[in-house]
Amino acid sequence: MSTGRREEIAAGLARVERRIAEACAAAGRARDEVTLIAVSKTYPASDVRLLSGLGVRDIGENRDQEAAAKAGECADLPVRWHFIGQLQTNKVRSVVSYADVIHSVDRPRLAAALGRAAVAAGRRVTCLVQVALDDDPGRGGVTPEAVPALADAVAGEEGLELGGVMAVAPLGADPAPAFARLREVAEALRGAHPGAVMISAGMSGDLAEAVAHGATHVRVGTALLGRRTPFVR
Ligand SMILES: *Cc1c(COP(=O)(O)O)cnc(C)c1O
């Protein structure tokens, strides 16, 4: 059964790799400009182990409790942990203990709490400012206009490193204009923060459009590991 799961994940990974390579070629970009983050939420630590065995080095999770347990079980693996979900201030101490990159910084208070926690833990954590690309505040992120101030807040924290921006494409709309907007926001941000080069955009359904618009990191779950059980999320 474990062999079957390994073959399943290997096949998913080969398909996703081909899609990323094709998108890079179409955009005139080198394949190594784009990092694949395998989103393992709702799937067990054994799947992370299989992904790692297949060469995946970046793992994404969106809930602290689940992520902390999996990171603990996988502490021997050479993987980086990306926290991609909405983050409550009371979880920052835990998240900072295992996360290498936090993609979902969406308010100054969170940046301050993360900075304190990172210093206390003796860690330096890369943070991305999450940008809302539609008018649905329920999906997280700040408006493009609010990005510079939040980015300054992140960059001003000793324990944090401003990595760049992250976004989720609007539901049920063409993702291309949204990703084009995100690239503009990212380029403007680099004027003030030249090191903020990361653009985290693109999921199973829209990774090609994201790569076409400059994504440096794509976050892919379903296309690698299968559909998540709806009631789990
Ligand atoms: C779950 C999730 C993903 C992965 O989505 P898929 O459609 O399964 O590839 C990417 N980004 C975020 C923020 C997520 O929560």
Side-chain angles (χ1 to χ4, degrees), residues 126-221:
T126 297
C127 288
L128 309 184
V129 170
Q130 184 172 352
V131 186
L133 296 174
D134 58 11
D135 297 321
D136 180 0
R139 307 197 76 212
V142 296
T143 62
E145 294 70 34
V147 168
L150 183 52
D152 288 347
V154 170
E157 291 294 333
E158 188 188 323
L160 308 182
E161 174 129 357
L162 178 67
V165 294
M166 176 273 215
V168 178
L171 267 178
D174 180 2
F179 291 145
R181 181 84 180 97
L182 181 66
R183 168 144 65 181
E184 288 172 9
V185 171
E187 279 169 2
L189 182 62
R190 279 205 301 277
H193 301 278
V197 295
M198 295 171 66
I199 301 179
S200 168
M203 321 200 318
S204 291
D206 55 19
L207 69 87
E209 290 86 348
V211 169
H213 291 92
T216 62
H217 291 69
V218 293
R219 310 175 307 266
V220 180

Side-chain angles (χ1 to χ4, degrees), residues 73-149:
E73 283 181 69
C74 296
D76 59 314
L77 301 180
V79 297
R80 284 177 292 268
W81 293 87
H82 296 255
F83 192 85
I84 62 174
Q86 285 187 357
L87 182 50
Q88 291 166 272
T89 312
N90 63 348
K91 305 282 193 200
V92 299
R93 214 154 64 97
S94 172
V95 170
V96 155
S97 72
Y98 58 82
D100 300 289
V101 185
I102 297 170
H103 290 233
S104 42
V105 177
D106 59 1
R107 55 200 191 277
R109 266 197 51 192
L110 178 59
L114 284 167
R116 275 193 303 275
V119 168
R123 300 202 68 206
R124 222 178 133 81
V125 181
T126 297
C127 288
L128 309 184
V129 170
Q130 184 172 352
V131 186
L133 296 174
D134 58 11
D135 297 321
D136 180 0
R139 307 197 76 212
V142 296
T143 62
E145 294 70 34
V147 168

